[in-house]
Amino acid sequence: MTEVSLLSLVKSYGKSIALKGISLSVGHGEFVSLLGPSGCGKSTTLKCIAGFEDISDGKILFDNTDISRRLPEQRDIGMVFQSYALFPHMTVAQNLAFGLEMRRVPKSEIATRVARAMEMVQLTPYAERFPKALSGGQQQRVALARALVIEPAILLLDEPLANLDAKLRDEMRGFIRDLQKRVGITTIYVTHDQGEAMTMSDRVVVMFDGEIAQAAPPEEVYNHPASERVARFVGNANILDLAVTGKDAAGSDLALPGGGALRVDSPAPWANGRLRVMARPEQIALTDPGAGHLGGEISKRYFSGGHVEYHVDTQCGPLVVLGPTTQTVAEGQTVALAFDPARLWPIPDPKGPAQ
Amino acid sequence: MKRLRASLLIAPSAALIFLFIVLPYITVLVMSFRAPAEGQPYGEGFSLEGYTHFFNESYYAMSLPQTMFLGLLTTLVCLVLAYPVALHIAFASKRWRGFLYGIVLSPLLVGIVVRSYGWTILLGNSGVINSTLRNMGLIQKPLPLMYNDFGVVLALAHVFLPFMVLPLLSALQAMDPAITQAARSLGASRFTIFRRVTFPVSMPGVQSGCILVFVLAISSYVTPALVGGMRVKTTTLLVVDALIDQFQWPFGSAMALILAVSAGIVVLIFARLTRMKWT
Ligand SMILES: Nc1ncnc2c1ncn2[C@@H]1O[C@H](COP(=O)(O)OP(=O)(O)OP(=O)(O)O)[C@@H](O)[C@H]1O
Ligand SMILES: [Mg+2]
């Protein structure tokens, strides 16, 4: 349970810069996910924290102590790799004991701690098996137990669920989350799966091109993305580019094509006198033509069990709407879309607020 | 139908193996029990004399431990020399790897006779090393570098080094690089990682490299003949001597089989000792 602070972390590989000055603080016992597309620098960040990569600039602090120059074996970190990285020539029990042996823990204590760790990940019957004779999910739990048995200060996980099938992945999500809460260990979790990041984390850190785009709790990232790119990366986003007709201290009046009007809480329009607002698919309702804010025509309809996904052509471009299965709207039908003004999110202007 | 097609596929190689391995072995086996004769390769009827002659004459019998000793020593030298090379290549950058690979393989492009002869030029009493040392006044008498176990092992290790490097290299490259990182994050030092993780995980390569080099070393003829100058008596040299110079086919065949069986036993013991339960 250690606080981790990254201060303007820079990592360059020759001319290419993988991390362009990352600053982030992870609190005691907090579960933080690094989320972003492939190549954005998630693994690099983790490797820098673990000490497998030397940082080019900046600092890494554990509980206010600069550990940037410490060797990986001196950082007291538990790490879980995407490939699990189990020692193939050691049994499950030997894999778990390795870290304790390195710490010169007495033999009898090793035995009890290994037994406890195996129980924790429900692998007691597999103690004498070699990794090859375990399923992917079991290997994954061994990797987790091996990282935790040494009771490290920090737990780092790099896409630990990427090699599992969907069902097992869901199961392991809950498992890791519960375990982390129970042990109370400060955790940094790398994933490119936004669902995973949302369900597991206390805070999600969205990264693009070696920079942090937003670091906030899952609801905040989902409902109030800091930029259009974040909005589109985290879930499905409808972005409407609307003209601002009026503005006061409390909000802005927006005009929709076709005569509709909306009012949103917004500090300022973009520099060009327009505002880009985001509406999540489930925040838009389908109504009869004439009602609602914006007219449109259903171009595609996909049934997906719990709900129905509609692709609607509108004067604001194609939008995606999630509707309940109780409502039946056919492809080609003319409809109107009703927005919930309170939930519309005006996307901040990347060039800063216009005056 | 499927079975038939599968057996058709392996038929050519099966035929080759039968024709060039099984059949010759049977011939040698039968020949080793033939009665010896004067003035012709073998005589009428069968006898055990090929075998008894070998074990009763210490001149011949002692060649067997001598051969095994040379084989084992060559294997050990190759392992010690090849491991750092393989490690280095496995973790070298892609650009270098091809180049280093080429260097390791390059001796194979030069014939074994040439390479062994090269060693005689270097190691001989008036060879490069001895004459240089003598000219520098460091020694009075030439050092015995050739015509002994030292020279033969040195030359054999050089000749067979690539056969050790390659299996080691493939074992090391098959290793997940994340496992050394995992070991480090668990608190292991570099040396501990080598001792407890890298080396044991590369064991399949160690095993096949050792077996390969050992078998090649004990059955080699050219290198011991040239560098040992017939003064280092290996069983292989005696086999060729019996078959070609003395024209005693039953005795030569018996010796060849004794060598093969002994080598087989050594390999089995080695494989047993280095058995891995985890592969
Ligand atoms: N050893 C290296 N040498 C040169 N460039 C590297 C090296 N490792 C990573 N990079 C570069 O740094 C950037 C970030 O890589 P990183 O592995 O952190 O991405 P990631 O976010 O983990 O992506 P993924 O989801 O694909 O794992 C990439 O552009 C990558 O090409
Ligand atoms: Mg990665």
Side-chain angles (χ1 to χ4, degrees), chain B residues 86-142:
Chain B
L87 264 182
H88 192 78
I89 298 178
F91 296 116
S93 68
K94 266 229 178 72
R95 202 148 40 102
W96 277 105
R97 207 178 296 155
F99 177 69
L100 295 172
Y101 221 82
I103 289 188
V104 168
L105 290 181
S106 61
L108 296 179
L109 300 176
V110 183
I112 199 162
V113 178
V114 176
R115 276 186 290 163
S116 302
Y117 191 70
W119 278 111
T120 66
I121 295 174
L122 279 176
L123 302 177
N125 283 350
S126 44
V128 176
I129 296 176
N130 273 323
S131 46
T132 308
L133 289 177
R134 205 151 22 169
N135 290 341
M136 288 166 69
L138 291 173
I139 51 171
Q140 259 66 54
K141 277 196 309 175

Side-chain angles (χ1 to χ4, degrees), chain A residues 137-289:
Chain A
Q138 289 165 341
Q139 291 186 32
Q140 156 78 109
R141 278 182 284 157
V142 177
L144 197 59
R146 185 180 65 178
L148 286 175
V149 74
I150 57 172
E151 293 172 10
I154 298 153
L155 180 62
L156 305 177
L157 304 104
D158 192 355
E159 310 213 19
L161 305 184
N163 291 337
L164 302 179
D165 63 58
K167 187 130 173 50
L168 200 54
R169 201 151 50 206
D170 287 346
E171 218 174 279
M172 284 304 293
R173 267 187 206 181
F175 185 85
I176 293 178
R177 176 65 183 163
D178 291 347
L179 196 60
Q180 189 269 338
K181 281 286 150 247
R182 202 151 19 109
V183 180
I185 186 173
T186 308
T187 303
I188 303 178
Y189 186 100
V190 163
T191 179
H192 60 248
D193 179 330
Q194 51 102 4
E196 217 166 275
M198 291 285 162
T199 48
M200 299 176 77
S201 334
D202 297 319
R203 208 143 50 95
V204 176
V205 176
V206 184
M207 291 178 66
F208 294 120
D209 307 324
E211 284 175 309
I212 294 181
Q214 186 171 15
E219 288 87 352
E220 184 69 13
V221 171
Y222 186 75
N223 291 320
H224 302 151
S227 70
E228 199 166 320
R229 201 163 172 203
V230 174
R232 291 192 191 282
F233 189 76
V234 180
N236 229 324
N238 296 300
I239 311 280
L240 299 103
D241 185 51
L242 303 174
V244 179
T245 53
K247 166 170 113 77
D248 54 41
S252 308
D253 292 307
L254 304 173
L256 286 139
L262 276 169
R263 185 176 167 80
V264 294
D265 301 334
S266 164
W270 286 32
N272 57 4
R274 299 177 73 83
L275 199 58
R276 293 174 74 79
V277 295
M278 180 203 75
R280 295 292 184 189
E282 68 280 5
Q283 295 167 355
I284 306 175
L286 288 182
T287 61
D288 293 328

Side-chain angles (χ1 to χ4, degrees), chain A residues 11-14 16-19 34-47 53 82 158-159 190-192 207 209-210:
Chain A
K11 172 68 195 174
S12 48
Y13 294 104
S16 79
I17 304 176
L19 299 178
L34 303 184
L35 174 66
S38 188
C40 73
K42 307 178 297 285
S43 298
T44 305
T45 309
L46 220 56
K47 281 184 206 153
E53 295 283 4
Q82 183 178 339
D158 192 355
E159 310 213 19
V190 163
T191 179
H192 60 248
M207 291 178 66
D209 307 324

